Amino acid sequence: QVQLVESGGGLVQPGGSLRLSCAASRSLFNIIIMGWYRQAPGKERELVADITESGNTNYLDSVKGRFTISRDNANNTVYLQMNSLKPEDTAVYYCNTITFRAEYWGKGTLVTVSS
């Protein structure tokens, strides 16, 4: 059973930065795409950013220019660098990986942006 383990969440002041990491518990093959989703209280889960194996990226409009997604294919790890954080970025952030065989989700890491 593959597990995705997120880390790097926490409390940060507006304008601050955090870096989220997500690592798979074992090697994954034929990964199509890796991404980060978030869910704020009372809202639906939304895609924040994703990245294909070839490095093509896609971002939620509200995070463009502030967040950067990257991946380490050799270690099945995906990162989300979040800069200029805003209170509206507060949410639980989930890692997602899609392969040809299955889709995997992490349990989430809480990001709170507050003064």
Side-chain angles (χ1 to χ4, degrees):
Q1 182 74 12
V2 175
Q3 292 183 329
L4 300 182
V5 181
E6 301 105 335
S7 61
L11 173 64
V12 64
Q13 292 186 344
S17 298
L18 284 175
R19 188 190 194 213
L20 305 183
S21 299
C22 172
S25 58
R26 64 171 177 81
S27 295
L28 293 172
F29 299 97
N30 299 317
I31 294 176
I32 299 171
I33 198 163
M34 303 181 78
W36 290 94
Y37 288 72
R38 70 185 181 188
Q39 187 166 19
K43 295 187 177 181
E44 294 187 353
R45 190 174 296 190
E46 63 182 355
L47 174 65
V48 177
D50 59 27
I51 183 168
T52 66
E53 187 174 6
S54 60
N56 293 320
T57 59
N58 175 52
Y59 293 94
L60 179 69
D61 283 346
S62 62
V63 308
K64 286 180 180 178
R66 300 188 297 121
F67 291 9
T68 303
I69 189 170
S70 60
R71 61 188 282 177
D72 179 346
N73 290 333
N75 294 303
N76 296 146
T77 302
V78 63
Y79 306 95
L80 186 67
Q81 178 66 42
M82 304 186 295
N83 299 327
S84 302
L85 282 161
K86 304 176 181 180
E88 51 263 43
D89 295 318
T90 295
V92 178
Y93 284 71
Y94 298 90
C95 176
N96 173 268
T97 296
I98 299 174
T99 72
F100 282 114
R101 296 178 61 89
E103 180 176 19
Y104 304 96
W105 288 91
K107 293 183 178 180
T109 184
L110 178 62
V111 171
T112 303
V113 185
S114 176
S115 55

